[in-house]
């Protein structure tokens, strides 16, 4: 049992990832304001990126940049460096998350111009009255 | 990776995330989200992902905050929850 407790404490990154994911999911589901929902979506995406960067970290390793690279060829021990592959993939994920955020904010601005409010329940009420008056 | 720094920065990340979805003023929520992005970029710099860290600093803490402020400027600033 103490070994299990030690393992759970040593993986604190993943507990923080779970907390941030649940914060983002709560904001997307339970908040009424559209901007708050979009902030929750961004928090969720950042939590996923933090999960992948936590996978790539390694104790007693340096960042994945080769020192003295211009001094000719000498052997590179891959165990001395962190894993650079998740970092490269997460650069793409950050750019995609910014594109998603831009589209979501543009849709929120159009919804405000149509309904003159950002609250979801008021928008649903307006749509209901519009549907019943037809 | 220094685990004390890592733990402090991750705690601040969780606190600023909770604050940015619980504040009622939408401009304040945008500024707090920019602070959240910057703290997350510090966490990645501590973990050794330098390229991810400065991409997040320029894109997450820079462009996203500008987008949020522009959207709040075009819509309303008050929120009910």
């Amino acid at each position: 049992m103490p070994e299990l407790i030690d393992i759970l404490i040593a993986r604190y990154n993943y507990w923080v990832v779970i907390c941030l994911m649940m914060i983002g999911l709560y904001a997307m589901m339970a908040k009424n304001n559209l901007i708050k929902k979009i902030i929750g979506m961004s928090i969720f995406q950042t939590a996923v990126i933090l999960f992948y960067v936590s996978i790539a970290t390694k104790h007693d390793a340096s960042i994945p940049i080769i020192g003295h690279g211009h001094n000719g060829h000498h052997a590179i021990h891959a165990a001395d460096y962190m894993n650079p592959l998740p970092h490269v993939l997460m650069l793409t994920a950050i750019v995609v998350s910014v594109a998603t955020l831009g589209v979501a904010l543009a849709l929120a601005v159009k919804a405000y111009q149509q309904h003159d409010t950002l609250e979801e329940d008021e928008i649903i009420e307006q749509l209901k009255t519009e549907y019943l008056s037809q | 990776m220094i685990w004390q720094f890592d733990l402090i920065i991750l705690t601040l990340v969780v606190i600023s995330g909770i604050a940015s979805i619980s504040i009622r003023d939408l401009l304040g929520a945008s500024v707090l989200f920019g602070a959240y992005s910057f703290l997350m970029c510090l966490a990645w710099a501590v973990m050794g992902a330098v390229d991810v860290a400065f991409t997040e600093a320029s894109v997450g803490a820079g462009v996203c905050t500008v987008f949020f402020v522009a959207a709040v400027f075009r819509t309303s600033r008050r929120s009910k929850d």
Side-chain angles (χ1 to χ4, degrees):
Chain A
M1 197 60 181
E3 299 88 2
L4 183 65
I5 302 276
D6 283 342
I7 287 173
L8 290 185
I9 289 174
R11 307 285 189 278
Y12 58 89
N13 286 74
Y14 300 108
W15 297 110
V16 173
V17 166
I18 290 170
C19 285
L20 285 175
M21 272 191 182
M22 288 308 113
I23 289 167
L25 203 62
Y26 167 77
M28 272 195 286
M29 289 193 303
K31 292 288 178 184
N32 260 330
N33 198 289
L34 291 179
I35 303 280
K36 288 284 182 66
K37 283 178 187 287
I38 295 168
I39 287 178
M41 187 184 72
S42 291
I43 288 175
F44 193 90
Q45 289 165 341
T46 320
V48 174
I49 296 170
L50 179 66
F51 172 66
Y52 275 92
V53 172
S54 304
I55 287 177
T57 50
K58 198 190 287 181
H59 284 292
D60 301 327
S62 105
I63 58 175
I65 295 173
I66 299 175
H68 314 292
H70 53 280
N71 287 342
H73 303 285
H74 47 86
I76 297 163
H77 301 292
D80 295 340
Y81 295 100
M82 289 176 183
N83 190 4
L85 196 63
H87 299 179
V88 178
L89 296 173
M90 286 312 111
L91 287 182
T92 318
I94 287 174
V95 176
V96 170
S97 78
V98 171
T100 319
L101 180 96
V103 172
L105 283 174
L107 288 175
V109 169
K110 291 302 283 185
Y112 180 83
Q113 288 171 359
Q114 195 84 13
H115 299 283
D116 210 25
T117 179
L118 275 179
E119 306 292 327
E120 191 191 32
D121 47 358
E122 295 176 9
I123 290 176
I124 289 174
E125 283 298 319
Q126 287 187 24
L127 289 174
K128 271 183 187 172
T129 54
E130 188 182 332
Y131 178 75
L132 289 176
S133 64
Q134 282 176 357
Chain B
M1 191 170 81
I2 306 168
W3 66 269
Q4 290 94 340
F5 280 171
D6 208 15
L7 209 53
I8 290 168
I9 289 171
L10 286 175
T11 313
L12 286 175
V13 159
V14 173
I15 288 171
S16 60
I18 292 173
S20 74
I21 66 164
S22 58
I23 192 169
R24 284 173 190 263
D25 184 13
L26 286 182
L27 193 63
S30 308
V31 173
L32 274 170
F33 181 71
Y36 166 86
S37 290
F38 179 70
L39 285 168
M40 191 61 101
C41 132
L42 277 184
W44 290 334
V46 167
M47 285 179 190
V50 193
D51 43 0
V52 186
F54 65 71
T55 306
E56 173 71 20
S58 63
V59 161
V63 177
C64 288
T65 311
V66 171
F67 282 174
F68 270 116
V69 170
V72 169
F73 178 71
R74 275 171 174 70
T75 56
S76 74
R77 195 175 154 175
R78 281 193 309 274
S79 146
K80 282 198 303 188
D81 51 357

